[in-house]
Amino acid sequence: MNLLKLTVIVGCSAALLGGCNNTDDARGPNVFDVTAIGLTLQGPSEIPEGWTTIRFVNQSGMIHLAMFDVPPDGIDAFQMKRELVKPYQDYLDALIEGNDEGMQTALGGFPSWLPDLYFFGGPGLLSSGYTSAATVNLKPGLYVLECYVKTNGIWHTYNPSPDQLGMVLEIRVIDSDTPTSPPPHGATLAIRNDSLELTQGTLKPGINQIKVEFIEQQAFENFLGNDVHVVKLNEDADLARASDWMDWRKPEGLQTPSPVTFLGGLNDMPEGSVGYFTVDLSPGDFAFITESPDPINQGLVLRFSID
Ligand SMILES: [Cu+2]
């Protein structure tokens, strides 16, 4: 084996989560680590545009996710905190108290720019001690990565201290001429408003790179939309527990600790978008599941097994 070939092989295996391409002009996605430590997200503050893999390392003792928010021009993470996360926490407080009037007041405090904010993927629900990755194609601009899991009725996104952010990481994506390309994938998952479907490829033991096509997108009553997460099923009741946990409006919904183990996924993206995520699968039973008000009855669950 000559040195050049050896270098290529080493380069490819090092890029396990980021991809390895056979063509000369494509180098796969850029890869960055974001680590959950306590109630913080730690990672880069500035990255180049293009296909980008966020490798999500959960070193926190709790379950988390990391969703990209794309706020309108001029809105940064602290303004989001003051104008959106605070009223959202007020809404949750009123919901927990059963205070309908308080909920309406909180809704009235949501900012006028909210309809212009959209979600753009990022790593899905991931239990403590696990690592996963999600890949999307980022354009230049300001992105805010957030975890909105709850603990004791408080969003992880929300830090009551005025000069501190919660589980929020502001990332500026800057212009770059360096080409990137999407990662290779072994299976394709299509998301529609009433189904999750594997349309191509198979799932295998070990690390799977899954392409996700957001064929349809919708707005649920919980303000979120179609996405996908992988849950490990150890007994038949686990799927019902996972489905029940997926609605944050329930007192224990999306609240730590989760009743089941999640292995990653891909958060909401606009209709027509494509993203990727990796999940490390050992033999056993699993399901793809959407974080929606009632995924089982909405058809937004797909069970699978690994032999
Ligand atoms: Cu969190």
Side-chain angles (χ1 to χ4, degrees):
M1 183 182 293
N2 68 38
L3 190 61
L4 179 64
K5 195 169 178 187
L6 183 67
T7 305
V8 169
I9 288 171
V10 169
C12 286
S13 54
L16 181 63
L17 291 169
C20 172
N21 293 277
N22 294 323
T23 53
D24 291 333
D25 59 343
R27 58 186 296 268
N30 297 317
V31 182
F32 297 95
D33 276 10
V34 170
T35 306
I37 299 176
L39 284 173
T40 66
L41 289 176
Q42 302 194 8
S45 56
E46 190 175 281
I47 62 178
E49 68 179 298
W51 283 98
T52 305
T53 297
I54 299 295
R55 212 175 68 103
F56 191 33
V57 184
N58 188 351
Q59 294 180 3
S60 166
M62 300 173 215
I63 185 166
H64 301 289
L65 55 74
M67 179 167 75
F68 274 120
D69 293 337
V70 188
D73 279 352
I75 307 292
D76 66 9
F78 273 101
Q79 193 168 350
M80 277 182 71
K81 178 192 165 157
R82 289 191 301 270
E83 298 181 9
L84 177 58
V85 180
K86 175 67 168 68
Y88 211 2
Q89 183 62 49
D90 292 344
Y91 182 87
L92 181 58
D93 292 345
L95 177 72
I96 291 169
E97 290 164 8
N99 176 356
D100 289 345
E101 201 183 319
M103 288 166 66
Q104 289 309 314
T105 303
L107 279 178
F110 280 16
S112 58
W113 50 259
L114 183 56
D116 297 324
L117 177 147
Y118 62 95
F119 307 131
F120 204 69
L125 287 161
L126 185 67
S127 291
S128 174
Y130 288 88
T131 296
S132 71
T135 304
V136 293
N137 192 4
L138 299 175
K139 294 185 172 68
L142 190 73
Y143 292 74
V144 176
L145 205 55
E146 65 150 316
C147 174
Y148 57 87
V149 169
K150 301 164 1 193
T151 294
N152 296 327
I154 298 175
W155 300 111
H156 290 184
T157 324
Y158 183 63
N159 185 328
S161 172
D163 58 348
Q164 304 234 354
L165 296 172
M167 260 189 119
V168 166
L169 179 65
E170 191 180 85
I171 300 179
R172 182 162 293 283
V173 176
I174 59 169
D175 293 337
S176 171
D177 294 331
T178 308
T180 58
S181 63
H185 61 278
T188 302
L189 183 80
I191 303 184
R192 292 186 173 79
N193 288 343
D194 56 1
S195 70
L196 302 176
E197 183 189 4
L198 266 179
T199 54
Q200 175 261 324
T202 53
L203 301 168
K204 60 182 195 320
I207 291 178
N208 292 262
Q209 180 85 254
I210 299 168
K211 179 180 183 180
V212 180
E213 297 177 337
F214 288 84
I215 309 282
E216 293 180 311
Q217 184 53 280
Q218 62 188 320
F220 299 119
E221 313 95 87
N222 66 357
F223 311 141
L224 292 153
N226 295 335
D227 64 5
V228 61
H229 309 270
V230 177
V231 58
K232 181 157 178 51
L233 306 175
N234 292 308
E235 48 185 286
D236 286 344
D238 282 351
L239 190 55
R241 284 190 201 103
S243 185
D244 195 48
W245 192 72
M246 283 305 202
D247 190 350
W248 61 262
R249 298 170 303 171
K250 297 176 183 174
E252 296 307 318
L254 222 65
Q255 169 124 299
T256 63
S258 68
V260 285
T261 297
F262 285 90
L263 301 176
L266 184 66
N267 285 304
D268 311 30
M269 296 188 79
E271 187 165 299
S273 300
V274 168
Y276 300 77
F277 73 97
T278 61
V279 59
D280 192 357
L281 299 171
S282 47
D285 298 318
F286 305 86
F288 296 112
I289 186 168
T290 297
E291 187 215 329
S292 70
D294 188 5
I296 287 184
N297 288 311
Q298 291 171 314
L300 295 171
V301 164
L302 178 63
R303 291 186 73 136
F304 64 94
S305 296
I306 299 294
D307 295 329

